[in-house]
Amino acid sequence: MADTMLGTAVSAESLVPRLSRTGDVHRVLSDDGLTVLGSAPAVPDSEVGAMLDEMVKARVASDRLFALQRQGRAGTHPPIHGQEAVVVGAAAALDPAWDWVVPQYRELVALGRYGSKVLERACLYQRGHPEGGHFPAGVRVFPSQISLAAQIPHALGLAWGMQLKGDPGVALVFFGDGASSEGDFYETANFAGVLGAPVIFCLVNNGWAISTPVSAQTAAPTFAAKAAAFGFPGVRVDGNDALAVYAVVAAARERALAGDGPTLIEAVTYRMGPHTTADDPKRYVPAEEREAWTARDPIARLRAHLEAGRQWDDERQARAESAAHTAVDDAWAAAEATPVAADAFFEHVYAELSPRLQAQRAELRARLGGEDGAPCR
Ligand SMILES: Cc1ncc(C[n+]2csc(CCOP(=O)(O)OP(=O)(O)O)c2C)c(N)n1
Ligand SMILES: [Mg+2]
């Protein structure tokens, strides 16, 4: 006989009992990074140093891509400034050999844990090269997704596939507070709960969806609270605290691999930069709000923690920055050395171009001096 009875709600309390909380937000580091709150997770110092290296690299790469856009050499760029700890902390808790990462559009520069190919592909993408939308076999990262929330069902597909095959992996999907208002999120989370699939929903609450503040995004008390409706835990974590993000994602991963199903993680952070290179946040972000978040900078905070333990100093910082610039130099040089046809953006969307797009492509080719029908470089 079919089981038609529904059970009791799943509590988030047991997911990360060791972590300290401010209100309902799990934290490991104080705002200034100098105090470890509660009993911190056991992360080896070398691992924490590697996390800071990755965060520095993410910021440098994002700043460089921003500048390249201003020089007319790169396309629109969505900066990661302020959100580095969410992505680096989460990725550090994953196993690149098995676990998939499904990003929105801000995260690729911070996924160095998944190999240097990720930054290379991000640069190709920024150059408008179709290969920027593909990752080589073995790199378990999906390309950027601009169509809000469309990546969320893909993550469940990956997770469910691994569940059916008995693979020891999870899929972690990043999506914004804005993306969480799309039907794709609700439909996927509902189905994920029913299937008990090994998927981690990492909702990046950065305060804004372009110019829409979170207060206009939802009337729910928190984004994490929505998990109750899907029958799995929802937790809030300080997204500017890489160690807390690490701990919460590690716990969610353990849960998923034990067959206990999905977790919704709301990473509470702040978008310190513009939405993209095409945005002017001064028109809508209150200066005092941005100022308040500057004091919680995720890189300064982890650095202060490591410096207090004599694991980091100015020299180590200089090395991290220099290595970051070299990584970006290499990735960008490889991208610029890869020819991209000026009309490539007409490909890869439709199997057959509509008459209007065919006419536009012909016009572009004519303007660029190529003959209609011939690819132009
Ligand atoms: C389906 C869809 N609707 C609207 C847009 C336009 N759009 C691009 S980014 C964005 C805001 C997204 O905000 P959020 O999900 O919070 O991510 P964040 O940019 O803050 O990282 C919107 C509305 C889009 N890309 N796709
Ligand atoms: Mg947002």
Side-chain angles (χ1 to χ4, degrees), residues 340-363:
V340 54
D343 56 359
F345 58 78
F346 285 102
E347 311 295 332
H348 307 292
V349 177
Y350 298 106
E352 272 176 46
L353 287 186
S354 66
R356 184 189 293 243
L357 287 174
Q358 282 181 31
Q360 288 180 4
R361 185 175 63 180
E363 188 185 334

Short mmCIF file of all heavy atoms in Angstrom, two decimals, residues 340-363:
data_model
loop_
_atom_site.label_atom_id
_atom_site.label_comp_id
_atom_site.label_asym_id
_atom_site.label_seq_id
_atom_site.Cartn_x
_atom_site.Cartn_y
_atom_site.Cartn_z
N VAL A 340 38.92 33.64 -31.92
CA VAL A 340 37.46 33.51 -31.84
C VAL A 340 36.87 34.26 -33.03
O VAL A 340 37.25 35.39 -33.33
CB VAL A 340 36.92 34.07 -30.49
CG1 VAL A 340 37.37 35.49 -30.22
CG2 VAL A 340 35.39 34.02 -30.45
N ALA A 341 36.00 33.58 -33.74
CA ALA A 341 35.36 34.20 -34.89
C ALA A 341 34.44 35.32 -34.41
O ALA A 341 33.73 35.16 -33.42
CB ALA A 341 34.56 33.15 -35.66
N ALA A 342 34.47 36.45 -35.09
CA ALA A 342 33.67 37.60 -34.66
C ALA A 342 32.17 37.30 -34.72
O ALA A 342 31.38 37.93 -34.04
CB ALA A 342 34.00 38.81 -35.53
N ASP A 343 31.81 36.31 -35.54
CA ASP A 343 30.38 35.98 -35.65
C ASP A 343 30.02 34.71 -34.87
O ASP A 343 28.97 34.12 -35.07
CB ASP A 343 29.98 35.83 -37.12
CG ASP A 343 30.84 34.79 -37.84
OD1 ASP A 343 31.74 34.21 -37.20
OD2 ASP A 343 30.60 34.56 -39.03
N ALA A 344 30.92 34.32 -33.97
CA ALA A 344 30.70 33.06 -33.23
C ALA A 344 29.44 33.10 -32.38
O ALA A 344 28.83 32.07 -32.10
CB ALA A 344 31.91 32.76 -32.34
N PHE A 345 29.04 34.30 -31.97
CA PHE A 345 27.89 34.34 -31.06
C PHE A 345 26.57 34.02 -31.76
O PHE A 345 25.53 33.92 -31.10
CB PHE A 345 27.83 35.67 -30.30
CG PHE A 345 27.75 36.90 -31.15
CD1 PHE A 345 26.56 37.29 -31.72
CD2 PHE A 345 28.88 37.67 -31.35
CE1 PHE A 345 26.49 38.42 -32.50
CE2 PHE A 345 28.83 38.81 -32.14
CZ PHE A 345 27.63 39.19 -32.71
N PHE A 346 26.61 33.83 -33.08
CA PHE A 346 25.39 33.38 -33.75
C PHE A 346 25.22 31.86 -33.63
O PHE A 346 24.18 31.32 -33.94
CB PHE A 346 25.43 33.76 -35.23
CG PHE A 346 25.17 35.23 -35.47
CD1 PHE A 346 26.21 36.09 -35.74
CD2 PHE A 346 23.88 35.74 -35.39
CE1 PHE A 346 25.98 37.45 -35.94
CE2 PHE A 346 23.63 37.09 -35.58
CZ PHE A 346 24.68 37.95 -35.86
N GLU A 347 26.31 31.19 -33.21
CA GLU A 347 26.27 29.72 -33.11
C GLU A 347 25.81 29.29 -31.72
O GLU A 347 25.75 30.08 -30.80
CB GLU A 347 27.67 29.13 -33.37
CG GLU A 347 28.37 29.67 -34.60
CD GLU A 347 27.65 29.30 -35.89
OE1 GLU A 347 26.98 28.26 -35.92
OE2 GLU A 347 27.74 30.09 -36.86
N HIS A 348 25.53 28.01 -31.58
CA HIS A 348 25.35 27.35 -30.28
C HIS A 348 24.08 27.75 -29.53
O HIS A 348 23.94 27.40 -28.36
CB HIS A 348 26.56 27.59 -29.36
CG HIS A 348 27.84 27.22 -30.02
ND1 HIS A 348 28.17 25.93 -30.31
CD2 HIS A 348 28.87 27.99 -30.47
CE1 HIS A 348 29.35 25.90 -30.91
NE2 HIS A 348 29.79 27.13 -31.03
N VAL A 349 23.19 28.50 -30.14
CA VAL A 349 21.92 28.76 -29.46
C VAL A 349 20.80 28.03 -30.20
O VAL A 349 20.08 27.22 -29.60
CB VAL A 349 21.62 30.28 -29.37
CG1 VAL A 349 20.25 30.51 -28.73
CG2 VAL A 349 22.70 30.98 -28.57
N TYR A 350 20.69 28.29 -31.50
CA TYR A 350 19.67 27.61 -32.30
C TYR A 350 20.35 26.61 -33.25
O TYR A 350 21.41 26.91 -33.79
CB TYR A 350 18.90 28.62 -33.15
CG TYR A 350 18.16 29.65 -32.32
CD1 TYR A 350 18.64 30.95 -32.24
CD2 TYR A 350 17.01 29.30 -31.62
CE1 TYR A 350 17.98 31.90 -31.48
CE2 TYR A 350 16.35 30.24 -30.85
CZ TYR A 350 16.83 31.54 -30.78
OH TYR A 350 16.18 32.46 -30.03
N ALA A 351 19.71 25.47 -33.46
CA ALA A 351 20.22 24.53 -34.46
C ALA A 351 20.18 25.19 -35.83
O ALA A 351 21.09 25.03 -36.64
CB ALA A 351 19.39 23.24 -34.45
N GLU A 352 19.12 25.93 -36.09
CA GLU A 352 19.00 26.66 -37.36
C GLU A 352 18.68 28.11 -37.04
O GLU A 352 17.76 28.38 -36.26
CB GLU A 352 17.84 26.09 -38.18
CG GLU A 352 18.24 24.94 -39.06
CD GLU A 352 17.03 24.35 -39.76
OE1 GLU A 352 16.21 25.12 -40.30
OE2 GLU A 352 16.89 23.11 -39.71
N LEU A 353 19.42 29.02 -37.66
CA LEU A 353 19.18 30.44 -37.40
C LEU A 353 17.86 30.88 -38.01
O LEU A 353 17.51 30.47 -39.11
CB LEU A 353 20.31 31.28 -38.01
CG LEU A 353 21.67 31.25 -37.32
CD1 LEU A 353 22.60 32.26 -37.98
CD2 LEU A 353 21.54 31.56 -35.85
N SER A 354 17.17 31.75 -37.32
CA SER A 354 15.93 32.32 -37.87
C SER A 354 16.33 33.26 -39.02
O SER A 354 17.48 33.72 -39.09
CB SER A 354 15.21 33.12 -36.79
OG SER A 354 16.00 34.23 -36.44
N PRO A 355 15.39 33.55 -39.93
CA PRO A 355 15.72 34.44 -41.05
C PRO A 355 16.27 35.78 -40.55
O PRO A 355 17.22 36.32 -41.12
CB PRO A 355 14.38 34.64 -41.76
CG PRO A 355 13.59 33.41 -41.41
CD PRO A 355 14.02 33.01 -40.04
N ARG A 356 15.72 36.30 -39.45
CA ARG A 356 16.21 37.59 -38.95
C ARG A 356 17.68 37.49 -38.50
O ARG A 356 18.49 38.36 -38.80
CB ARG A 356 15.33 38.03 -37.78
CG ARG A 356 15.69 39.41 -37.25
CD ARG A 356 14.95 39.68 -35.98
NE ARG A 356 13.52 39.79 -36.22
CZ ARG A 356 12.81 40.89 -36.01
NH1 ARG A 356 13.40 41.94 -35.49
NH2 ARG A 356 11.52 40.94 -36.26
N LEU A 357 18.00 36.40 -37.78
CA LEU A 357 19.39 36.24 -37.33
C LEU A 357 20.33 35.98 -38.51
O LEU A 357 21.48 36.43 -38.51
CB LEU A 357 19.49 35.12 -36.29
CG LEU A 357 18.91 35.48 -34.91
CD1 LEU A 357 18.91 34.26 -33.99
CD2 LEU A 357 19.72 36.61 -34.26
N GLN A 358 19.83 35.26 -39.51
CA GLN A 358 20.67 35.03 -40.70
C GLN A 358 21.02 36.38 -41.34
O GLN A 358 22.16 36.61 -41.74
CB GLN A 358 19.92 34.18 -41.72
CG GLN A 358 19.92 32.70 -41.36
CD GLN A 358 19.20 31.85 -42.40
OE1 GLN A 358 19.18 32.19 -43.58
NE2 GLN A 358 18.58 30.79 -41.95
N ALA A 359 20.02 37.27 -41.41
CA ALA A 359 20.24 38.59 -42.02
C ALA A 359 21.25 39.38 -41.18
O ALA A 359 22.14 40.05 -41.71
CB ALA A 359 18.92 39.33 -42.14
N GLN A 360 21.11 39.27 -39.85
CA GLN A 360 22.03 40.02 -38.98
C GLN A 360 23.46 39.50 -39.14
O GLN A 360 24.42 40.26 -39.17
CB GLN A 360 21.59 39.92 -37.52
CG GLN A 360 20.34 40.73 -37.23
CD GLN A 360 19.90 40.62 -35.77
OE1 GLN A 360 20.57 40.01 -34.96
NE2 GLN A 360 18.77 41.22 -35.47
N ARG A 361 23.58 38.19 -39.24
CA ARG A 361 24.92 37.61 -39.41
C ARG A 361 25.54 38.06 -40.74
O ARG A 361 26.71 38.42 -40.81
CB ARG A 361 24.88 36.09 -39.33
CG ARG A 361 26.27 35.48 -39.36
CD ARG A 361 26.26 33.99 -39.16
NE ARG A 361 25.54 33.31 -40.24
CZ ARG A 361 25.39 32.00 -40.32
NH1 ARG A 361 25.87 31.23 -39.38
NH2 ARG A 361 24.72 31.46 -41.31
N ALA A 362 24.72 38.05 -41.79
CA ALA A 362 25.22 38.49 -43.10
C ALA A 362 25.66 39.95 -43.04
O ALA A 362 26.71 40.32 -43.58
CB ALA A 362 24.13 38.30 -44.16
N GLU A 363 24.90 40.76 -42.32
CA GLU A 363 25.25 42.18 -42.23
C GLU A 363 26.58 42.35 -41.48
O GLU A 363 27.44 43.12 -41.89
CB GLU A 363 24.12 42.92 -41.49
CG GLU A 363 24.30 44.43 -41.52
CD GLU A 363 23.23 45.15 -40.69
OE1 GLU A 363 22.13 44.59 -40.50
OE2 GLU A 363 23.54 46.25 -40.22
#
